[in-house]
Amino acid sequence: MAGTRITNLQSVGKQQPLILPHQVTGAAPGTVQMRIKSSQSSGERLSQTKSMVLQDPDLPPKPISRHRRNQSQHNIGGAGALETPVVLKGEHLNKAKISDGGKKLRKNWTSTWVVLDTDKLLFYKDSKQEALTNLKPGCSPDGMDLCGAVAEWTTEKSSRKNVLQITTSSGSEFLLQADNYHTISKWHDAIKRTTDNLSKGAAGKASDRPGIRRANSTEYLPRHGLPSKTLSLPRPAPESPCTKEPKPEHRRSHMFKSSKLNYSMSDSADKNGVKNRLKKFITRRPSMKTLQEKGIIKDQVFGCHLLALCEREGTTVPNFVRQCVEAVEKRGLEADGIYRVSGNLATIQKLRFLVDQEVEFNLDDSQWEDIHVVTGALKMFFRELPEPLFPFPFFELFVEAIKTKECKQKVQVMKKLVLQLPKPNQDTMRVLFRHLQKILTCSRKNLMSTQGISIVFGPTLMWPELDCGNMAVNMVYQNQIVEFILIESPEIFGLQK
């Protein structure tokens, strides 16, 4: 008989017994019966008998494909057919990896050549690297497995627009971004379809597992049933991919996601609690004046306003300034480079701490033996004043005065401005410039000149309130003003020569 004659024996509700070749009526002699399985639904299974005609020995045998794919393609009412794999050729996208296995990483955007394969994303530096990787066997690029991955839009992980977040099953997180929304939307849809196909494929493989084949027979026994003419047992419900116990890696990813969700919820709750506590603390905290009255916060010497310091001490010249001037005039007038040479900063800070804590100290003590420590502390005191010795409103007035060409007129303008200063500023300036005049009397030994002293004390005694002008020009005027007042100090302050 030419061709193949197929007789279908179907049974609904129960299975048919195994049929031997001589029991089939109308079967051609020399045929062999083979029963194969075909799933009609997830709950019922049908049997199908197929008779094959043995070929003549003279004719070449036709190949018979027994691959499972050929059988699953003819399943009736089985799982839905998988879509064709989505493959996108390379394109430049901005990529950042923000998490590796649950461990947060520093976000670093890089331009990457991205290729979408059937089940993974491949990352290259550029298209040339992709070509070289394909030519060299064994060279594998950086990639990301899309099996079990989740792709979604995000606006919280980055301030950029059009950002796509991909979370893998292992807990790693990637960000993909493009300036063109159409480009990144195309990649979002393709990655979404790929992950859906991979999840369907995993579910299909779980449901298409072959049963146990009977010995010396081509009949496959159902996984949840027994052969015909045996005691039928209740058939369990078919396993669903949703209720199937996840693999270890999927379980780990679910644990990571749930812990991440719990962490974010608790983190937001903690932040709200901290905000509320801070608001209550700020509204209830006492004012600075109250703390000072109670003695909790004490006014310091360094960094304190000159008027407030003199008012607190009951003088017009700060006590620390007088102590430093007396110590330098006692044992430092002839020191080489006095006020120009810097002292040890650690020792200066130690002296400052004692002064701020209002601890009694003696500058003649051996630990302050280096006179440059005393001069360094005095310069630091003037530099850290909130308002300089030459007050801010007088800065431009002194600058205009120094521009006066006639010397006598310039002296009178400077003298008039000095007399307009507040009493603590005026008296402290008089004490300081009288002290600097004594430094100049020993200039042959200490090698300090009026120009050298003005360079040191110019930026220390005066500076503008806003640095909106040219700093170099301001520094020139600062040095010239201090040098002129130092030279004409007997006339301006009424000092005896």
Side-chain angles (χ1 to χ4, degrees):
M1 176 183 295
T4 304
R5 178 179 174 183
I6 302 175
T7 304
N8 293 331
L9 301 178
Q10 300 181 352
S11 62
V12 179
K14 68 175 184 176
Q15 297 177 348
Q16 296 294 335
L18 182 63
I19 302 176
L20 299 179
H22 64 276
Q23 295 176 345
V24 180
T25 59
T31 64
V32 177
Q33 301 294 329
M34 183 180 68
R35 174 171 295 175
I36 62 176
K37 68 172 184 176
S38 174
S39 61
Q40 185 176 5
S41 66
S42 61
E44 297 180 358
R45 296 183 179 274
L46 302 180
S47 300
Q48 197 176 70
T49 303
K50 192 173 188 180
S51 63
M52 298 184 299
V53 179
L54 296 178
Q55 301 292 335
D56 295 336
D58 297 333
L59 297 177
K62 295 182 179 181
I64 301 175
S65 176
R66 299 183 180 274
H67 198 276
R68 288 179 54 208
R69 184 183 303 170
N70 299 330
Q71 300 176 11
S72 61
Q73 288 175 353
H74 300 286
N75 288 347
I76 303 172
L82 298 178
E83 299 179 6
T84 55
V86 182
V87 178
L88 281 182
K89 294 184 179 180
E91 194 166 5
H92 279 290
L93 298 176
N94 296 322
K95 183 201 71 159
K97 188 174 183 181
I98 61 175
S99 178
D100 185 10
K103 181 180 180 181
K104 291 185 178 181
L105 302 177
R106 184 178 180 181
K107 182 169 54 181
N108 185 17
W109 288 101
T110 56
S111 180
T112 309
W113 183 262
V114 184
V115 177
L116 176 59
D117 204 351
T118 55
D119 60 347
K120 63 180 65 177
L121 275 178
L122 302 178
F123 303 121
Y124 303 89
K125 292 183 179 179
D126 48 27
S127 56
K128 295 181 180 179
Q129 185 187 10
E130 178 188 5
L132 293 175
T133 306
N134 295 333
L135 292 176
K136 294 181 180 180
C139 295
S140 58
D142 294 336
M144 172 176 47
D145 190 6
L146 295 178
C147 184
V150 178
E152 55 187 357
W153 297 106
T154 181
T155 57
E156 300 176 355
K157 299 300 178 67
S158 175
S159 59
R160 298 190 178 190
K161 297 181 179 180
N162 309 328
V163 179
L164 172 62
Q165 178 182 353
I166 304 174
T167 305
T168 64
S169 60
S170 60
S172 299
E173 295 181 6
F174 293 82
L175 299 180
L176 296 180
Q177 186 267 345
D179 296 333
N180 189 352
Y181 174 76
H182 175 71
T183 301
I184 195 63
S185 179
K186 174 184 66 177
W187 281 86
H188 171 268
D189 297 340
I191 294 173
K192 196 76 174 176
R193 289 198 302 269
T194 301
T195 55
D196 293 344
N197 289 346
L198 292 174
S199 61
K200 290 180 182 178
K205 289 181 180 180
S207 61
D208 288 344
R209 290 178 182 174
I212 305 173
R213 190 172 63 180
R214 185 196 295 253
N216 300 328
S217 173
T218 57
E219 178 188 5
Y220 279 95
L221 301 180
R223 285 184 295 171
H224 302 297
L226 295 174
S228 58
K229 292 186 179 180
T230 58
L231 180 62
S232 0
L233 298 175
R235 182 176 302 171
E239 295 181 356
S240 172
C242 298
T243 60
K244 190 177 182 66
E245 184 181 358
K247 295 181 180 179
E249 59 269 20
H250 297 299
R251 188 185 300 113
R252 182 174 57 186
S253 65
H254 294 327
M255 292 174 60
F256 168 73
K257 292 177 182 177
S258 61
S259 63
K260 182 180 178 182
L261 179 61
N262 296 334
Y263 173 76
S264 61
M265 294 176 62
S266 61
D267 191 24
S268 61
D270 292 343
K271 287 182 179 179
N272 294 332
V274 170
K275 288 181 180 179
N276 295 332
R277 288 195 294 270
L278 285 176
K279 288 180 180 178
K280 293 180 180 179
F281 173 76
I282 292 174
T283 55
R284 295 179 180 176
R285 68 176 183 175
S287 62
M288 182 68 70
K289 185 178 180 180
T290 305
L291 295 176
Q292 291 177 352
E293 291 176 354
K294 292 182 178 180
I296 299 176
I297 296 180
K298 296 182 180 180
D299 289 331
Q300 298 180 347
V301 176
F302 283 78
C304 182
H305 199 283
L306 186 62
L307 296 177
L309 179 61
C310 292
E311 183 180 356
R312 191 176 74 211
E313 295 179 350
T315 60
T316 56
V317 179
N319 294 329
F320 180 69
V321 174
R322 289 188 180 276
Q323 288 176 317
C324 291
V325 168
E326 292 174 0
V328 173
E329 291 179 358
K330 183 177 181 180
R331 54 188 176 91
L333 290 178
E334 298 180 358
D336 186 10
I338 190 69
Y339 286 110
R340 177 174 54 82
V341 178
S342 300
N344 184 273
L345 183 58
T347 310
I348 295 174
Q349 292 290 357
K350 184 178 180 181
L351 177 59
R352 171 186 175 173
F353 177 79
L354 295 177
V355 174
D356 285 338
Q357 297 299 321
E358 297 181 356
V359 179
E360 294 184 2
F361 61 93
N362 185 7
L363 292 180
D364 293 332
D365 194 86
S366 59
Q367 58 180 336
W368 321 120
E369 181 180 1
D370 186 5
I371 196 62
H372 299 297
V373 171
V374 179
T375 57
L378 181 61
K379 290 186 294 182
M380 180 180 290
F381 170 81
F382 285 114
R383 282 198 302 266
E384 294 194 1
L385 287 174
E387 189 175 27
L389 187 62
F390 289 78
F392 291 132
F394 289 84
F395 181 82
E396 295 295 338
L397 298 177
F398 277 101
V399 171
E400 294 297 327
I402 199 64
K403 294 180 181 179
T404 306
K405 295 182 179 179
E406 190 178 355
C407 183
K408 292 184 178 180
Q409 185 180 358
K410 186 185 299 186
V411 172
Q412 295 302 321
V413 174
M414 288 286 185
K415 184 177 181 179
K416 184 177 179 179
L417 290 175
V418 169
L419 294 176
Q420 293 177 1
L421 294 175
K423 188 65 174 176
N425 297 66
Q426 182 179 345
D427 291 349
T428 304
M429 195 178 297
R430 181 182 292 108
V431 171
L432 179 62
F433 278 94
R434 182 191 294 116
H435 168 67
L436 295 178
Q437 278 287 340
K438 294 181 180 180
I439 297 292
L440 290 176
T441 57
C442 302
S443 59
R444 291 185 178 181
K445 295 183 177 180
N446 56 38
L447 303 178
M448 292 298 294
S449 61
T450 55
Q451 186 177 5
I453 293 177
S454 63
I455 292 175
V456 173
F457 280 95
T460 303
L461 300 180
M462 62 183 307
W463 60 83
E465 185 175 6
L466 300 175
D467 295 333
C468 55
N470 192 336
M471 185 180 297
V473 175
N474 291 336
M475 186 174 295
V476 172
Y477 288 137
Q478 292 165 354
N479 298 346
Q480 290 179 355
I481 292 170
V482 172
E483 183 178 3
F484 182 80
I485 294 177
L486 181 59
I487 295 174
E488 302 295 338
S489 58
E491 180 68 22
I492 294 175
F493 294 105
L495 303 177
Q496 297 180 356
K497 293 185 178 179

